[in-house]
Amino acid sequence: MSRLLTLLFGRLPIGWLQLSHNKTRLAAAVAGVAFANLLVFMQLGILGALNVATVAPYALLRSDIMISAEDTHTLTDGSNIARAWMFQALGVPGVRAAMPLYVGNLEFKLTDGSSSTLQTFGLDVAQPDFAAPAIAAQLNGLEVENTAILDTKARGIPPEAFDGLRAGEPFSFEVNGQTLTAMAGIEVGGGFTADGTLIVSDQTFLRFFGKRSSGAPNHILLQVDDGVSVEVVVDRIRAAISTDSVIVRSMQAAAAADRTYQTTERPTGIIFGFGVLIGLIVGIVIVYQVLSTDVADHLREYATFKAMGYGHRFFLGIVFEEAIVLAFFGFIPGFLVSLGLYAGLRAASGLPVEMDATRAVVVLIGTLVACSISGAIATRRLAAADPADLF
Amino acid sequence: MVDEAPIIATGLNHFFGTGEARKQAIFDLNLTIKRGSLNFLMGPSGSGKTTVLTLMGCLREVQEGSVHLLGHELYGAGEARQVLLRRRLGFIFQAHNLHESLSATQNVLMGLQVHGQGSARKQMEAAQHMLGLVGLADRMDYLPAKLSGGQKQRVAVARALVANPEIVFADEPTAALDKKSGRTVVEMLKALGQTRGVTTVMVTHDNRIMELADRIITMEEGRVISDNAP
C-alpha cells in the first residue's frame, strides 16, 4: 500500500503512514465511515425501491396518454372521472383507442386469517392491447366472472399457495366475502401502498367494488395512431376538453409525476431523503473528528516539517490524503454490508431493494466529497503548528 | 557577500507579549557569522539564545532591526520567501522531533523530498548513506519508538544534514548523546564547515565539546556579554 501511494503521490504517503500507524484509530475511523455509508445506502435503497415500486404498476399497462381527475397524484388516489371524457377524447385526431381503467385495493384473506392488500386493476378484456404482453396473453380468460390474474410475488402470501396456479390449476380465494378464482399468475411484487397486484375484468371489478360505477373509472387510457406525437395529441385533447377538473398527461409524464410526488411530498420519501442527509452529516462529523485529532496529535511533527521548508500545500495534501484513504476504506465494507442488508430487506419485505452501479458510484463520490469537506475543516488546526515552538 | 557572512544581524530587538505584559527578550543584538564557522551560543536559561536562533533561522518574525540570511533580508519577508530560505537550512532540535510513523530512513528522506530533486532511488541511497555516516546502518527500517534516545538524535542529525544545508541551526544537539556520539556529531559539523563551508550556529551547554568551537557567543538577559569572535 505504501509503495503504491508513494508512486501515486511521488512522495512518502505520510497520511497513510500516520493512519496505519495507529491501527485502533484507523479501525474506528473506517468503521465510522462504513457506518455512515451503510446509513446512506439503506436510505437510498429504500428510496430506490419506492421509485421502482411506484412506477411498476404503470408497466402493466400499455397506454400513451392518461386522463385523470385534477386531484390525482398516483394511480390509486384522486377522484373518479366521468367516462364521457373518453368518448370526447376518441374524437380528437390522432387518438386510436381508449379504455377506462378502474383501480382499487382488495383484501386477500387466507384460510389462516391473515390477509394481504392487493392493488386491483379492472381492465376491458376486449382490449388486450392496453395490457402488458404477460397480462394480455391471459386476458381472455377473465371473461368468466369472478376470475383474476394474481401476483404470485405478493407479500404475505406463502409462495407455496401458488404452486397449483403455476402448474396451470385455478386457485380460488376469498376477497370481500366473495370467491375469486385466479386463472393465471404474473410476477410484480409488493410496494409501499399494496402487497401485490390483481388483474380482473372491469365487470368483475365492479362486482367486487359495489359502490363503483362503470361510468366513473379512475383513469382513461388512450393510445395514439402510429407515427403521431404523443405530446401533440395531449395538447389537442387539452384543447378539446376545456375543463380544470381533469388532467391530461402522457403515460410517461404521469409515472414521473407519481414518482416525484412519492419521493418529495409523501412522508415516506421525505423521511428517507432526510435519512440520506443524516448519513452524510454523520460521516462528515466522524471523519472530521478523526482527522482533527490526528492533526492535533502530529502538530509537533508538522511544525518540524514547516521548519524544514515544507509549505502549507504539503500539509493540506496529508490531510486530504487521509480523507481519501478513509473514504475508500470505509466505502468498501459499507458497500458489502449494504449488499447483505439489501438482500435481507428484500426477503423480509418483498420490496425491490436493489443495488445498482450508479448508486454505488454516487455514494462513493459522495463519501469522497464528505471526507474532503471534513479534511478541509480539519486543516484549520494546522495553523497551530508553529516551528518557533520547537526550540 | 554571502560567502563571507551568511548571517548578519544588526540592531536586533525582540519582544514577547503585548500591552503591559510586553517584555523585551533581545536588546540591540549585532552579530556577523562567518561562512563555514562553528559557532556556539551559550548563556543561562532565558538569556535569549534560543530566540536568536529562531530569528536567524526564519522561524520567527523579525520585529525590529535586521537579519540578513544568505543574502536575504528577513525583516518583512513573506511566508513564501521564508519557506524557500528554510529549505537551505538544517535544523537539529533538542527533542529530536522525528515522525513516529516513519522509519529512520523515511524520516531522513523527508529532509530530501522537500527539495523535490533527484529520483526516488537516488534519494533513498542518499538517506541510507547519511544514516550510515551517523552509525545507524543497521537501524534504517526502525521506527523511532524502537530507537534509543541517542539513536533518535542521530537520525535527526542525518535528516538535518542529508540535503547539504548551507547553515545548520542546532539546539543542544548533544544533550541526548553520550560523550563519544556527541563529539562525533559536532566533529562532523566542524568538518562540514571546513570542507563544504557549512555554517553552524549551535545552542549548547556541553563543556565536553567546547574546544571544537570556532566562536563562542555568551548571552545574558537578551544581550551579548562575551564574544570571542576572531
Side-chain angles (χ1 to χ4, degrees):
Chain A
M1 184 74 181
S2 292
R3 285 186 182 177
L4 176 71
L5 292 174
T6 303
L7 282 173
L8 204 63
F9 298 139
R11 61 164 171 80
L12 284 173
I14 308 287
W16 162 246
L17 291 169
Q18 274 177 195
L19 283 174
S20 57
H21 184 70
N22 190 335
K23 291 186 171 52
T24 308
R25 183 186 291 171
L26 175 63
V30 167
V33 177
F35 175 68
N37 265 283
L38 198 59
L39 277 179
V40 172
F41 268 127
M42 292 314 293
Q43 311 298 324
L44 288 178
I46 295 169
L47 265 179
L50 179 61
N51 281 332
V52 171
T54 298
V55 298
Y58 290 86
L60 301 175
L61 306 165
R62 288 208 318 200
S63 169
D64 299 314
I65 296 169
M66 187 162 80
I67 303 176
S68 314
E70 53 87 23
D71 59 352
T72 297
H73 297 102
T74 72
L75 273 176
T76 50
D77 74 352
S79 307
N80 301 328
I81 58 169
R83 193 173 48 176
W85 297 120
M86 182 177 80
F87 301 115
Q88 198 163 343
L90 276 169
V92 172
V95 174
R96 187 183 72 216
M99 183 187 82
L101 174 68
Y102 302 88
V103 186
N105 283 339
L106 282 178
E107 288 291 313
F108 178 117
K109 284 198 174 165
L110 289 166
T111 50
D112 63 0
S114 62
S115 65
S116 287
T117 303
L118 299 177
Q119 190 171 53
T120 307
F121 293 88
L123 310 180
D124 180 355
V125 293
Q127 298 193 83
D129 282 355
F130 278 92
I135 298 169
Q138 314 283 347
L139 211 55
N140 60 352
L142 301 186
E143 286 176 352
V144 179
E145 68 178 30
N146 291 6
T147 54
I149 299 170
L150 181 59
D151 182 359
T152 54
K153 285 177 75 180
R155 187 168 50 221
I157 303 173
E160 55 269 22
F162 302 117
D163 287 347
L165 190 62
R166 289 194 190 93
E169 296 170 14
F171 171 64
S172 295
F173 53 100
E174 188 184 331
V175 175
N176 277 5
Q178 301 181 60
T179 300
L180 194 59
T181 303
M183 308 299 287
I186 50 167
E187 290 192 347
V188 182
F192 284 79
T193 55
D195 298 312
T197 302
L198 192 66
I199 308 291
V200 297
S201 70
D202 46 6
Q203 297 308 308
T204 298
F205 184 94
L206 294 170
R207 201 168 290 119
F208 277 82
F209 291 87
K211 293 179 181 174
R212 297 292 298 273
S213 125
S214 60
N218 293 75
H219 309 277
I220 292 165
L221 305 183
L222 305 172
Q223 289 176 338
V224 302
D225 289 326
D226 291 342
V228 177
S229 160
V230 171
E231 292 306 323
V232 168
V233 177
V234 164
D235 289 340
R236 286 178 190 162
I237 297 171
R238 282 176 184 158
I241 303 176
S242 53
T243 175
D244 293 334
S245 64
V246 297
I247 45 175
V248 183
R249 298 172 290 183
S250 70
M251 199 66 173
Q252 208 173 1
D258 191 347
R259 189 164 53 193
T260 304
Y261 173 71
Q262 297 286 359
T263 50
T264 61
E265 292 186 49
R266 297 279 298 163
T268 318
I270 294 169
I271 288 167
F272 288 111
F274 191 67
V276 174
L277 185 68
I278 294 293
L280 277 174
I281 292 171
V282 167
I284 287 173
V285 170
I286 289 172
V287 175
Y288 167 72
Q289 283 296 335
V290 171
L291 295 182
S292 181
T293 307
D294 191 71
V295 169
D297 286 353
H298 292 94
L299 276 181
R300 201 162 180 83
E301 285 99 328
Y302 290 163
T304 305
F305 290 150
K306 277 188 180 178
M308 290 161 68
Y310 283 96
H312 194 60
R313 277 172 57 187
F314 169 78
F315 302 104
L316 294 181
I318 292 177
V319 177
F320 283 114
E321 176 191 329
E322 291 185 324
I324 289 167
V325 166
L326 289 179
F328 274 110
F329 275 51
F331 174 80
I332 294 166
F335 174 75
L336 294 175
V337 174
S338 297
L339 286 179
L341 289 181
Y342 275 19
L345 196 58
R346 234 175 11 246
S349 69
L351 290 171
V353 186
E354 303 281 354
M355 181 68 76
D356 60 58
T358 306
R359 183 179 305 151
V361 171
V362 165
V363 172
L364 175 60
I365 292 170
T367 308
L368 288 167
V369 171
C371 288
S372 299
I373 290 170
S374 304
I377 302 169
T379 55
R380 292 184 310 167
R381 301 196 74 161
L382 284 171
D386 185 357
D389 293 339
L390 293 170
F391 286 99
Chain B
M1 186 67 181
V2 176
D3 284 348
E4 288 304 313
I7 307 170
I8 304 168
T10 312
L12 192 62
N13 293 298
H14 198 79
F15 305 85
F16 289 110
T18 54
E20 290 184 6
R22 184 173 160 94
K23 186 173 183 289
Q24 189 161 2
I26 303 295
F27 296 83
D28 192 28
L29 186 99
N30 295 284
L31 276 176
T32 298
I33 305 292
K34 283 191 174 178
R35 183 175 183 272
S37 60
L38 179 62
N39 305 274
F40 288 0
L41 267 177
M42 302 189 71
S45 179
S47 60
K49 52 192 186 300
T50 299
T51 305
V52 169
L53 203 69
T54 54
L55 285 166
M56 290 175 169
C58 29
L59 299 179
R60 203 181 286 283
E61 192 181 341
V62 176
Q63 298 169 340
E64 274 187 31
S66 163
V67 175
H68 245 71
L69 180 75
L70 298 169
H72 297 272
E73 175 57 53
L74 295 186
Y75 179 78
E79 177 68 20
R81 170 166 289 184
Q82 290 185 35
V83 166
L84 288 175
L85 276 171
R86 282 180 205 151
R87 292 181 186 174
R88 298 167 66 183
L89 312 175
F91 291 96
I92 305 170
F93 308 99
Q94 186 173 1
H96 49 82
N97 293 338
L98 297 181
H99 198 298
E100 60 170 9
S101 317
L102 306 185
S103 68
T105 307
Q106 288 170 328
N107 266 291
V108 177
L109 270 175
M110 292 306 295
L112 281 170
Q113 290 193 344
V114 69
H115 299 282
Q117 292 170 345
S119 65
R121 185 177 175 176
K122 282 194 172 176
Q123 287 180 350
M124 181 62 79
E125 286 172 0
Q128 290 173 342
H129 174 70
M130 199 66 224
L131 281 171
L133 285 180
V134 295
L136 292 174
D138 58 344
R139 295 285 189 276
M140 288 183 187
D141 295 326
Y142 280 47
L143 289 173
K146 300 281 183 189
L147 298 171
S148 68
Q151 288 169 333
K152 287 177 196 169
Q153 189 61 294
R154 278 187 275 165
V155 176
V157 169
R159 181 179 62 186
L161 301 181
V162 69
N164 298 319
E166 293 169 63
I167 306 172
V168 174
F169 292 100
D171 186 18
E172 301 280 9
T174 59
L177 302 177
D178 57 50
K179 182 180 177 182
K180 186 183 169 193
S181 300
R183 192 170 181 87
T184 303
V185 166
V186 180
E187 282 175 347
M188 187 186 293
L189 290 170
K190 189 172 179 72
L192 283 171
Q194 290 167 344
T195 56
R196 296 189 194 169
V198 177
T199 308
T200 300
V201 180
M202 180 191 298
V203 170
T204 183
H205 294 98
D206 193 345
N207 290 323
R208 301 170 298 182
I209 54 172
M210 286 302 146
E211 77 278 11
L212 295 173
D214 295 317
R215 181 179 179 185
I216 297 176
I217 303 157
T218 308
M219 293 185 66
E220 204 170 290
E221 294 182 347
R223 293 180 174 86
V224 173
I225 58 166
S226 76
D227 184 354
N228 70 341

